[in-house]
Amino acid sequence: MSRTVHDPGLRAVARVRGVRERDSRLGLQTALREQRTHERRVAELEQAVRDHAGFVSGDLAEFVALRQSLAALRHAAVEARADLDTSRRLALDAGAWWRADKARLGAVEGLLERRADERAAETARGEAVELDEVAGRLWLRTEQADQAAQACEPGAASTPSTASTGRAAS
């Protein structure tokens, strides 16, 4: 049993748009995961800077070593913030791409649905015309049968107006 597929070209476009939407959604999910990773890294480094900021006691060598490690932590925190900013921009761009791809897919799917609705309406109109024609033929046959039956009845010659105007009043 073969199934007629309407709009094969538009369905191919919908498949391509669907793949693009899925890919951009996966890209957005990846970008958001990376952003969360960078946010955790920044939070860890900022906490480490706060923890190492106070010098309690010790000699000059410990103080210098603490200050050098603090400078390295601050530098790492600055780089982590820059990476976080970059990942946020990437996540925003990925979100914009995904929304655009989703809108394009929705437009194609909407067009397919609208065309399917138009085909269904056209089919319904065709069926209605066919049913009207069948009903008209049935009515005509019934009228012709009534007229023939009245013509065969004795005394039908005295009431010819009944056959021409339709059925007699019940």
Side-chain angles (χ1 to χ4, degrees), residues 16-157:
V16 169
R17 294 284 184 203
V19 168
R20 284 186 181 170
E21 186 272 336
R22 186 181 65 233
D23 288 347
S24 62
R25 183 172 16 109
L26 291 173
L28 173 61
Q29 290 171 346
T30 301
L32 291 173
R33 253 191 322 273
E34 287 181 17
Q35 179 182 344
R36 286 190 295 271
T37 301
H38 288 289
E39 287 171 348
R40 281 192 299 272
R41 178 74 176 142
V42 166
E44 290 169 357
L45 288 172
E46 287 177 347
Q47 184 61 40
V49 167
R50 282 191 296 276
D51 290 346
H52 286 79
F55 178 71
V56 178
S57 65
D59 62 357
L60 186 59
E62 287 178 7
F63 177 75
V64 169
L66 180 64
R67 287 297 161 193
Q68 287 176 344
S69 67
L70 187 58
L73 279 174
R74 284 185 184 147
H75 180 70
V78 167
E79 287 181 356
R81 278 191 214 103
D83 290 343
L84 176 59
D85 289 341
T86 301
S87 69
R88 282 182 178 157
R89 281 193 301 274
L90 286 173
L92 286 173
D93 288 345
W97 278 106
W98 172 70
R99 284 187 294 279
D101 288 341
K102 185 175 180 177
R104 288 181 188 118
L105 175 61
V108 172
E109 288 175 342
L111 183 58
L112 280 170
E113 288 174 12
R114 195 168 43 248
R115 286 184 176 182
D117 292 343
E118 289 171 1
R119 279 191 300 275
E122 183 62 31
T123 301
R125 281 191 296 271
E127 289 174 355
V129 166
E130 187 176 332
L131 288 174
D132 284 346
E133 187 178 319
V134 168
R137 287 180 188 161
L138 182 61
W139 178 83
L140 185 60
R141 284 182 191 161
T142 304
E143 285 299 312
Q144 289 172 348
D146 286 347
Q147 288 175 4
Q150 286 177 359
C152 291
E153 290 179 4

